Amino acid sequence: MSIGSLLLAVAILGLLAAALLCIAAWRDPRRLIRAEFVRERLAAGFTARQATIDGIRWCWVERAAATAATPTLLMIHGYTGGKENWYRLCARFGRRYRLVLPDLPGWGDSERDSDGDYGFAAQAERVAAFIDHIGGPVVLVGHSMGGGIAALVAARHPRRVSELVLLDAAGVEFPENPFGLEVLEGRNPFEVADAASLERYLGVVFHDPRSRPPLPWPASRAYVAWRRREAAFEQAVLERIGRSDERFLPWQEAGAIRQPTLLVWGAHDRVIDPGAMDLYAQRIPHAHRHLLARSGHMTLMEQPDEVAAAIVALVEGTARA
């Protein structure tokens, strides 16, 4: 075979592969996304796990520490998020701690019940059971919706949580902003239905465009198709955490939190106004506070070095004390 024929064959195979990839993404949008998530997991050195806990199948990834006698950091993702949101932050810890990153029930690869309750209170009880399964107490780290859930777990199940980290946590009546008003009006400001709404969503949650995760075509198309299929579930969860009588439950019960606590917020958070950090601090007066000048809502991805350093200071300062 001549060089020219070989190059032509390689090009044809490449086009066929791209075509098959597009067909697969069209039939099952998550297939392409899952393939990327697997690549990220392997690159980060995490092992996939799953178990049925109180009748619910949990999926999570974890990475062991360099030594056994180290704290476990359990990281709870936010609304529309998943365990993969934490990889960038986890890279800053190396093997310093045992790291456990679950998909909350209903989200990602974990089990979803079409009639299930995925509000703050129900998820907090599930997380408490998950801690018993993996072994506690844990350093509980929660972002956004996951922060509201983490606050409830710490308040209601203090023996399961040694330290608490809340990143841009939901569950508090923060000062009005366009995002909050849309939620109260019955809309989903995080809705992704096309390329334009995807750009809007990313623009709301990220302050610095350079910190956004890459979504080249056809991954962007697959992501839009997947989020479109998730729209009804997202709306149902938002009804619970954003418009029901439990929407401020984490803040209302935060006064019971006695564990060493860290509050981290992005100064440009357009989802949960930075003023919410002070409101949580009113309930948890012993909490350390960090306002990140270059971050929006996704502090864990926009300034991971600073967030990791603050978590290390909390955990190891507590250990020294």
Side-chain angles (χ1 to χ4, degrees):
M1 179 181 289
S2 68
I3 295 296
S5 299
L6 180 61
L7 291 174
L8 179 60
V10 170
I12 291 172
L13 287 173
L15 290 172
L16 285 173
L20 290 172
L21 196 62
C22 290
I23 292 171
W26 178 75
R27 290 179 175 174
D28 180 6
R30 282 219 72 196
R31 183 178 298 178
L32 182 60
I33 297 167
R34 283 194 183 100
E36 173 59 19
F37 284 169
V38 169
R39 185 198 67 78
E40 291 178 5
R41 173 176 63 79
L42 294 174
F46 281 87
T47 300
R49 308 282 190 203
Q50 67 174 15
T52 299
I53 304 169
D54 290 349
I56 299 170
R57 180 177 54 81
W58 285 74
C59 293
W60 73 94
V61 300
E62 66 176 88
R63 189 171 74 198
T67 59
T70 56
T72 295
L73 269 60
L74 173 58
M75 300 182 167
I76 307 300
H77 66 79
Y79 179 73
T80 74
K83 56 188 179 296
E84 294 78 17
N85 291 161
W86 298 103
Y87 288 155
R88 193 178 295 180
L89 175 62
C90 288
R92 275 66 183 177
F93 294 123
R95 298 279 177 170
R96 193 173 198 140
Y97 309 114
R98 177 192 179 204
L99 302 174
V100 180
L101 322 177
D103 282 330
L104 285 167
W107 299 94
D109 296 320
S110 290
E111 185 176 354
R112 177 184 300 173
D113 181 349
S114 59
D115 297 321
D117 178 354
Y118 296 102
F120 289 124
Q123 293 285 53
E125 295 310 305
R126 296 183 185 114
V127 170
F130 182 77
I131 293 172
D132 290 341
H133 180 83
I134 64 170
V138 300
V139 179
L140 189 56
V141 184
H143 173 248
S144 194
M145 176 187 74
I149 294 167
L152 270 186
V153 176
R156 294 182 172 186
H157 304 278
R159 293 184 181 180
R160 292 177 169 92
V161 180
S162 57
E163 290 91 19
L164 176 66
V165 180
L166 303 181
L167 309 177
D168 307 88
V172 59
E173 189 176 10
F174 53 83
E176 285 188 354
N177 63 11
F179 178 90
L181 291 174
E182 283 192 57
V183 172
L184 292 176
E185 290 167 2
R187 291 179 284 166
N188 178 7
F190 276 13
E191 182 182 15
V192 172
D194 51 30
S197 54
L198 172 59
E199 179 61 29
R200 178 180 183 265
Y201 164 71
L202 293 173
V204 167
V205 297
F206 287 94
H207 171 64
D208 183 354
R210 295 170 298 179
S211 65
R212 298 180 185 180
L215 267 178
W217 187 91
S220 57
R221 180 171 180 174
Y223 182 77
V224 168
W226 169 48
R227 290 290 306 280
R228 197 182 292 135
R229 293 186 185 186
E230 292 288 286
F233 175 72
E234 290 179 8
Q235 187 69 18
V237 174
L238 192 60
E239 190 66 38
R240 291 295 298 159
I241 68 172
R243 291 187 284 270
S244 78
D245 56 1
E246 71 168 53
R247 65 189 186 276
F248 305 136
L249 190 61
W251 179 78
Q252 289 165 355
E253 297 198 17
I257 294 171
R258 297 291 182 267
Q259 299 92 330
T261 300
L262 171 67
L263 301 172
V264 178
W265 240 267
H268 304 279
D269 194 335
R270 296 171 59 192
V271 178
I272 302 173
D273 187 89
M277 180 169 66
D278 293 331
L279 294 174
Y280 262 114
Q282 290 174 11
R283 295 280 183 168
I284 320 171
H286 61 276
H288 300 277
R289 285 177 277 179
H290 286 260
L291 186 66
L292 300 181
R294 303 191 309 278
S295 285
H297 189 60
M298 297 301 292
T299 45
L300 65 167
M301 300 179 75
E302 294 190 85
Q303 291 186 251
D305 291 324
E306 291 82 352
V307 174
I311 292 174
V312 170
L314 176 78
V315 174
E316 302 195 359
T318 301
R320 285 195 299 272

